[in-house]
Amino acid sequence: MAGFVIEGTKALESLVTTILSYARPVQIQPRSVELGSFLKQIGKFVRVDPAYPSNVKVEIHIPQDPILAPIDPEALKLCLLNLIYNAFQAMEQGGLMTLTLLKLDHVCQISVTDTGIGIDSKHLQQLFSPFFTTKQKGTGLGLVEAQKIVQAHGGQIDVRSQFGRGSTFTLILPLKR
């Protein structure tokens, strides 16, 4: 009986921590970072993570010319890892996850693309709503937090998905503050 009480207390504590984290505004500390190297580091981190599915291939496409942007590397890493692990979860049968970096005028785009199950069009409007999730063990706050991080950088997230074919989440970030 005591075990259930302790387990329940831990679950409530986790929920309260998650809600408080959601309620707090994101504070970023931007500095100039070369985005190609940054994405390569994230790729290395993901590949050595025990949660990395062996049936998913990861590709990273970055331009040869360096792209500098004012980002908070820890915050943006958290955002991208959230999108990457969502992509992995969408590809239970395996597939390809691609990170792509592009420079366009005064912004850059970082895209996370998967060949997973895609997102039903009826859910696209709700993706960034707090507590909305289609996962059994999800909190519905991961994409909300990712969006808050991108907005704190002065950017936005674009989502394209085709049910049964995969999804692309694109971060559009300014190159100057």
Side-chain angles (χ1 to χ4, degrees):
M1 183 66 149
F4 289 123
V5 172
I6 291 170
E7 189 176 314
T9 302
K10 286 182 181 178
L12 281 174
E13 182 181 348
S14 176
L15 178 63
V16 169
T17 301
T18 301
I19 291 170
L20 289 174
S21 174
Y22 161 70
R24 257 183 235 118
V26 173
Q27 300 290 325
I28 63 166
Q29 298 177 342
R31 59 182 170 92
S32 185
V33 173
E34 201 287 301
L35 295 176
S37 297
F38 174 73
L39 290 180
K40 286 179 186 176
Q41 286 178 332
I42 289 176
K44 286 178 186 175
F45 177 85
V46 166
R47 287 183 181 106
V48 299
D49 188 329
Y52 173 63
S54 60
N55 63 351
V56 173
K57 183 178 178 187
V58 173
E59 291 184 357
I60 301 174
H61 301 282
I62 56 174
Q64 286 190 331
D65 292 335
I67 299 175
L68 293 171
I71 64 164
D72 180 322
E74 288 306 311
L76 199 59
K77 179 180 178 182
L78 180 68
C79 171
L80 287 169
L81 288 176
N82 185 327
L83 297 176
I84 289 167
Y85 288 111
N86 282 351
F88 290 165
Q89 291 171 358
M91 296 185 287
E92 287 182 4
Q93 306 305 317
L96 173 66
M97 193 281 304
T98 309
L99 279 174
T100 306
L101 173 63
L102 294 173
K103 181 179 179 183
L104 306 166
D105 295 325
H106 305 296
V107 298
C108 67
Q109 293 183 345
I110 301 172
S111 297
V112 177
T113 302
D114 68 67
T115 58
I117 58 173
I119 302 165
D120 193 320
S121 59
K122 69 182 179 187
H123 296 309
L124 282 173
Q125 300 287 357
Q126 299 169 289
L127 278 184
F128 298 100
S129 299
F131 308 108
F132 171 78
T133 184
T134 58
K135 300 174 189 174
Q136 284 187 341
K137 294 187 178 182
T139 63
L141 293 174
L143 288 177
V144 173
E145 193 65 22
Q147 183 180 50
K148 285 172 52 178
I149 290 168
V150 171
Q151 289 174 341
H153 282 85
Q156 62 187 39
I157 297 182
D158 179 56
V159 182
R160 309 240 182 228
S161 187
Q162 207 171 7
F163 193 66
R165 306 222 38 203
S167 303
T168 299
F169 285 76
T170 302
L171 314 182
I172 303 162
L173 301 168
L175 293 171
K176 295 188 180 189
R177 278 205 88 36

mmCIF file of all heavy atoms in Angstrom, residues 116-120 124 160-168:
data_model
loop_
_atom_site.group_PDB
_atom_site.id
_atom_site.type_symbol
_atom_site.label_atom_id
_atom_site.label_comp_id
_atom_site.label_asym_id
_atom_site.label_seq_id
_atom_site.Cartn_x
_atom_site.Cartn_y
_atom_site.Cartn_z
ATOM 1 N N GLY A 116 7.639 8.809 -41.110
ATOM 2 C CA GLY A 116 6.765 8.058 -40.213
ATOM 3 C C GLY A 116 5.318 8.067 -40.620
ATOM 4 O O GLY A 116 4.970 8.248 -41.783
ATOM 5 N N ILE A 117 4.469 7.932 -39.619
ATOM 6 C CA ILE A 117 3.037 7.768 -39.858
ATOM 7 C C ILE A 117 2.324 9.063 -40.241
ATOM 8 O O ILE A 117 1.201 9.042 -40.712
ATOM 9 C CB ILE A 117 2.335 7.152 -38.622
ATOM 10 C CG1 ILE A 117 2.551 8.021 -37.388
ATOM 11 C CG2 ILE A 117 2.804 5.736 -38.394
ATOM 12 C CD1 ILE A 117 1.759 7.584 -36.169
ATOM 13 N N GLY A 118 2.977 10.191 -40.047
ATOM 14 C CA GLY A 118 2.341 11.463 -40.353
ATOM 15 C C GLY A 118 1.327 11.855 -39.291
ATOM 16 O O GLY A 118 1.105 11.134 -38.321
ATOM 17 N N ILE A 119 0.741 13.003 -39.488
ATOM 18 C CA ILE A 119 -0.225 13.537 -38.522
ATOM 19 C C ILE A 119 -1.557 13.713 -39.231
ATOM 20 O O ILE A 119 -1.621 14.341 -40.297
ATOM 21 C CB ILE A 119 0.261 14.902 -37.964
ATOM 22 C CG1 ILE A 119 1.631 14.732 -37.303
ATOM 23 C CG2 ILE A 119 -0.753 15.483 -36.989
ATOM 24 C CD1 ILE A 119 2.356 16.045 -37.049
ATOM 25 N N ASP A 120 -2.578 13.169 -38.660
ATOM 26 C CA ASP A 120 -3.923 13.299 -39.216
ATOM 27 C C ASP A 120 -4.262 14.789 -39.310
ATOM 28 O O ASP A 120 -4.016 15.548 -38.370
ATOM 29 C CB ASP A 120 -4.911 12.560 -38.308
ATOM 30 C CG ASP A 120 -6.266 12.373 -38.951
ATOM 31 O OD1 ASP A 120 -6.760 13.306 -39.626
ATOM 32 O OD2 ASP A 120 -6.845 11.293 -38.773
ATOM 33 N N LEU A 124 -3.689 18.588 -36.807
ATOM 34 C CA LEU A 124 -2.699 19.632 -37.101
ATOM 35 C C LEU A 124 -2.995 20.944 -36.377
ATOM 36 O O LEU A 124 -2.079 21.596 -35.887
ATOM 37 C CB LEU A 124 -2.591 19.869 -38.612
ATOM 38 C CG LEU A 124 -1.785 18.839 -39.377
ATOM 39 C CD1 LEU A 124 -1.893 19.084 -40.875
ATOM 40 C CD2 LEU A 124 -0.337 18.824 -38.931
ATOM 41 N N ARG A 160 4.386 20.601 -41.684
ATOM 42 C CA ARG A 160 3.773 20.006 -42.878
ATOM 43 C C ARG A 160 3.740 18.508 -42.627
ATOM 44 O O ARG A 160 4.731 17.925 -42.187
ATOM 45 C CB ARG A 160 4.599 20.294 -44.119
ATOM 46 C CG ARG A 160 4.920 21.754 -44.274
ATOM 47 C CD ARG A 160 4.394 22.323 -45.529
ATOM 48 N NE ARG A 160 4.823 23.741 -45.571
ATOM 49 C CZ ARG A 160 4.031 24.715 -45.837
ATOM 50 N NH1 ARG A 160 2.786 24.467 -46.094
ATOM 51 N NH2 ARG A 160 4.450 25.953 -45.863
ATOM 52 N N SER A 161 2.600 17.914 -42.910
ATOM 53 C CA SER A 161 2.492 16.486 -42.681
ATOM 54 C C SER A 161 1.523 15.869 -43.667
ATOM 55 O O SER A 161 0.539 16.496 -44.061
ATOM 56 C CB SER A 161 2.015 16.201 -41.256
ATOM 57 O OG SER A 161 2.069 14.816 -40.994
ATOM 58 N N GLN A 162 1.835 14.652 -44.040
ATOM 59 C CA GLN A 162 0.958 13.877 -44.893
ATOM 60 C C GLN A 162 0.706 12.559 -44.174
ATOM 61 O O GLN A 162 1.654 11.804 -43.908
ATOM 62 C CB GLN A 162 1.631 13.649 -46.246
ATOM 63 C CG GLN A 162 0.679 13.461 -47.359
ATOM 64 C CD GLN A 162 1.405 13.455 -48.702
ATOM 65 O OE1 GLN A 162 2.621 13.467 -48.790
ATOM 66 N NE2 GLN A 162 0.618 13.421 -49.751
ATOM 67 N N PHE A 163 -0.526 12.320 -43.824
ATOM 68 C CA PHE A 163 -0.864 11.124 -43.055
ATOM 69 C C PHE A 163 -0.411 9.886 -43.820
ATOM 70 O O PHE A 163 -0.692 9.734 -45.003
ATOM 71 C CB PHE A 163 -2.372 11.076 -42.776
ATOM 72 C CG PHE A 163 -2.744 10.062 -41.741
ATOM 73 C CD1 PHE A 163 -2.344 10.208 -40.424
ATOM 74 C CD2 PHE A 163 -3.485 8.945 -42.087
ATOM 75 C CE1 PHE A 163 -2.684 9.270 -39.463
ATOM 76 C CE2 PHE A 163 -3.830 7.996 -41.138
ATOM 77 C CZ PHE A 163 -3.424 8.161 -39.827
ATOM 78 N N GLY A 164 0.340 9.027 -43.142
ATOM 79 C CA GLY A 164 0.856 7.816 -43.756
ATOM 80 C C GLY A 164 2.181 7.990 -44.471
ATOM 81 O O GLY A 164 2.769 7.023 -44.941
ATOM 82 N N ARG A 165 2.692 9.236 -44.569
ATOM 83 C CA ARG A 165 3.925 9.468 -45.327
ATOM 84 C C ARG A 165 5.012 10.180 -44.535
ATOM 85 O O ARG A 165 6.170 10.130 -44.895
ATOM 86 C CB ARG A 165 3.611 10.300 -46.576
ATOM 87 C CG ARG A 165 2.519 9.624 -47.374
ATOM 88 C CD ARG A 165 2.654 9.582 -48.816
ATOM 89 N NE ARG A 165 3.961 9.385 -49.351
ATOM 90 C CZ ARG A 165 4.287 9.761 -50.552
ATOM 91 N NH1 ARG A 165 3.423 10.371 -51.309
ATOM 92 N NH2 ARG A 165 5.486 9.519 -51.024
ATOM 93 N N GLY A 166 4.639 10.891 -43.474
ATOM 94 C CA GLY A 166 5.653 11.565 -42.668
ATOM 95 C C GLY A 166 5.348 13.015 -42.402
ATOM 96 O O GLY A 166 4.327 13.557 -42.855
ATOM 97 N N SER A 167 6.260 13.641 -41.655
ATOM 98 C CA SER A 167 6.072 15.034 -41.225
ATOM 99 C C SER A 167 7.375 15.802 -41.314
ATOM 100 O O SER A 167 8.457 15.224 -41.215
ATOM 101 C CB SER A 167 5.577 15.081 -39.772
ATOM 102 O OG SER A 167 4.382 14.357 -39.625
ATOM 103 N N THR A 168 7.227 17.118 -41.447
ATOM 104 C CA THR A 168 8.373 18.022 -41.392
ATOM 105 C C THR A 168 8.026 19.182 -40.466
ATOM 106 O O THR A 168 7.016 19.857 -40.667
ATOM 107 C CB THR A 168 8.741 18.579 -42.781
ATOM 108 O OG1 THR A 168 9.088 17.488 -43.645
ATOM 109 C CG2 THR A 168 9.909 19.554 -42.701
#
